[in-house]
Amino acid sequence: MQTRVYVDGYNLYYSCLKQSPYKWLNPFALAEQQLPRNAIDRVRYFTARVSARPHDPGQPQRQETYFRALATVPQIDLHFGHFLTHEVTMPDASAWQAGQFRPVRVMKTEEKGSDVNLASHLLMDAFDDLYDVAVVISNDSDLAEPMRLVKQRFGKTLGLLTHRSTRVSGKLKPLADFVRSFHSGALTRAQFPATLTDSTGVFHKPQRW
């Protein structure tokens, strides 16, 4: 069955990659492992570029190296949203628990656009009849409505692909025709080689992530 995979990169990172050694992940290889009977022609990867932080100035360079690795796979398309960082006033947690309100100024970073971009491509690809099966790698309940439309309006089969430690969203699970859970061993087997080559030359997996 003609299959497309839609990856919420931010959601995937925080659900199972952030505290792991598996950040050098090839999502196309992961999808092929988990869906061996499906003909996967495209993986759409939705993300946003980070900015340098005082405590981690090398983060953008590491991320760009990963994007470069993703670009070596012809079946992967990258789609970019953006991050918005701004100062906000929020209540101090310890004071709040004590029944007091103590305002604290903090820097809040939010990813903007990726969920909308994923939903848009999921729907447009269904409208253009580019897949029989759509597999979503995300646990974002905001995707419930576009997933419902894909099933009811276009009659497509929908799957969810999640790490087994993730509790599947109660809004998404009823919409899925199947849920496939992977473990850390699958992430190990789906890593890019430590050294890759593209049109610019040879590059390497970042030593520190």
Side-chain angles (χ1 to χ4, degrees), residues 1-208:
M1 290 183 290
Q2 189 79 1
T3 301
R4 291 203 164 190
V5 180
Y6 300 81
V7 183
D8 180 342
Y10 189 74
N11 196 281
L12 175 64
Y13 179 81
Y14 280 98
S15 67
C16 67
L17 298 180
K18 183 179 180 181
Q19 301 299 332
S20 81
Y22 309 121
K23 300 181 183 71
W24 196 235
L25 179 69
N26 180 342
F28 179 71
L30 178 66
E32 281 198 314
Q33 283 180 26
Q34 300 302 307
L35 304 161
R37 297 182 180 181
N38 295 59
I40 302 170
D41 78 321
R42 187 67 52 197
V43 173
R44 295 194 183 276
Y45 190 95
F46 300 87
T47 186
R49 285 185 166 88
V50 299
S51 300
R53 304 290 185 85
H55 64 281
D56 191 4
Q59 188 176 19
Q61 183 178 359
R62 295 194 303 274
Q63 188 191 44
E64 287 298 329
T65 302
Y66 181 59
F67 291 160
R68 191 176 172 186
L70 292 174
T72 65
V73 183
Q75 296 87 349
I76 295 178
D77 288 338
L78 286 169
H79 304 272
F80 291 98
H82 64 279
F83 282 104
L84 178 64
T85 300
H86 54 104
E87 264 191 65
V88 297
T89 300
M90 303 184 74
D92 178 84
S94 58
W96 182 271
Q97 293 169 1
Q100 303 170 356
F101 176 74
R102 183 183 302 134
V104 178
R105 296 292 290 173
V106 300
M107 298 302 297
K108 185 176 182 180
T109 299
E110 298 176 283
E111 188 191 24
K112 297 291 186 181
S114 288
D115 53 351
V116 175
N117 292 343
L118 193 159
S120 299
H121 283 279
L122 181 69
L123 285 165
M124 287 304 300
D125 287 352
F127 179 81
D128 291 335
D129 200 24
L130 295 178
Y131 61 76
D132 304 306
V133 180
V135 177
V136 176
I137 302 180
S138 179
N139 204 34
D140 187 345
S141 61
D142 288 345
L143 296 175
E145 182 63 8
M147 287 176 62
R148 184 188 67 80
L149 291 171
V150 163
K151 284 177 65 69
Q152 294 185 2
R153 175 66 176 82
F154 301 107
K156 303 298 184 180
T157 299
L158 274 174
L160 291 172
L161 189 56
T162 66
H163 191 269
R164 62 173 49 184
S165 65
T166 301
R167 183 178 180 182
V168 180
S169 165
K171 290 187 177 181
L172 300 186
K173 191 173 183 178
L175 297 169
D177 295 289
F178 64 90
V179 178
R180 193 71 49 82
S181 296
F182 57 86
H183 50 72
S184 296
L187 296 175
T188 301
R189 294 190 297 272
Q191 296 295 293
F192 281 111
T195 301
L196 292 167
T197 304
D198 61 10
S199 59
T200 304
V202 176
F203 63 103
H204 306 277
K205 174 183 177 180
Q207 293 184 353
R208 173 182 172 272

